[in-house]
Amino acid sequence: MAARTGKNSKSRTRPRKTAASKTPRRKARRDRPVKSGRVEVRLTIEQKRIVEQASIIRGMTVSSFVTNSVLEDARATIEEEREIKLNAEDSRRVAEAFINPPAPTKTAVEAAKDYLAGRLRPGF
Amino acid sequence: MRTEPLARKHDRASFSCGVPALDDYLKTYALQNAKNHSAATFVLLADDSRTIHGFYSLTSRHVLLDELPDEIRPRLPKYPEVGATLIGRLAVNIAYQGQGIGRLLVMDALDRCIRAAAEVASALILVDAKDPGAAEFYLACGFTSFKGIPDRLFITTRQAAEILKQAGAP
């Protein structure tokens, strides 16, 4: 488990369950999204012990600790995939295309005409 | 001939383009990705409205430009990040290859990218050309290859719009 530490956990600041706070919390629970999704993971005893220990430090349940950490890592992974870093040479090529866009080629205009007319022409 | 968003009623099971990874994508992941908005897949259908002649998928990306030479920098937006649309997968049914469906799909995809860019800023169109025939076609259409990313090429949305415009698109 790549446990990225969840810094944005609300649970940490949430008051502990006491008899006095029970009623308002139950009301809030009704407005929360239904959590019907499930992920099961097998861990070694040692790995599980580490997760439990970390959850205690954060003052979170194991479930919310795991959810927070995994979600944060998952979002970062998706974000990383969406980002394309160009090297200096490729950046220059892109900049060049913005500044001096080449005129459309004959092949492109011909293909676009065929597309607009719904016409097929042997080839790719 | 126009493409439409992939739907359950389309015959994904019998589609084969000769590249198992692309077939597998269409069969297993395309609908799922459309549902969770990570990639949209569009299909070109036969007259029976079920048989898939070809498909492509679009996803949004952002491109980070590296430090640019001083003479270029002032002429570009300050922020080094450029919105882009990636034509990630494009495939033609093996039974219909060689008829020009690929080029039709490419133009259809460019058309969609241009229209989408009117709503969400996207200044670049990226393509992955896994097939040498496709790569050759992209270059002939004025796409530029990336030196640092194999098989990937780009064209600006403005250039693409100019192609459609010169072909007489409204």
Side-chain angles (χ1 to χ4, degrees), chain A residues 79 81-84 86 88-91 93 95 99 102 104-105 107-108 111-115 120-124, chain B residues 61-64 66 68 72 75-76 98-100 103 107-108 111 126 134 140-141 145-148 152 159 167:
Chain A
E79 200 48 46
E81 201 231 0
R82 296 203 165 204
E83 205 167 81
I84 298 161
L86 295 186
E89 164 64 18
D90 287 337
S91 302
R93 289 182 188 192
I99 296 165
T105 65
T107 307
K113 277 183 183 160
D114 286 344
Y115 155 69
L120 287 175
R121 205 183 283 272
F124 164 67
Chain B
R61 290 285 185 271
H62 36 257
V63 171
L64 287 172
D66 195 12
L68 290 165
I72 297 179
R75 303 165 71 181
L76 287 172
Q99 299 177 17
R103 63 205 281 277
M107 289 301 145
D108 188 276
D111 199 7
L126 313 171
C141 281
S145 57
F146 284 116
K147 211 174 167 198
R152 188 165 284 181
Q159 275 175 276

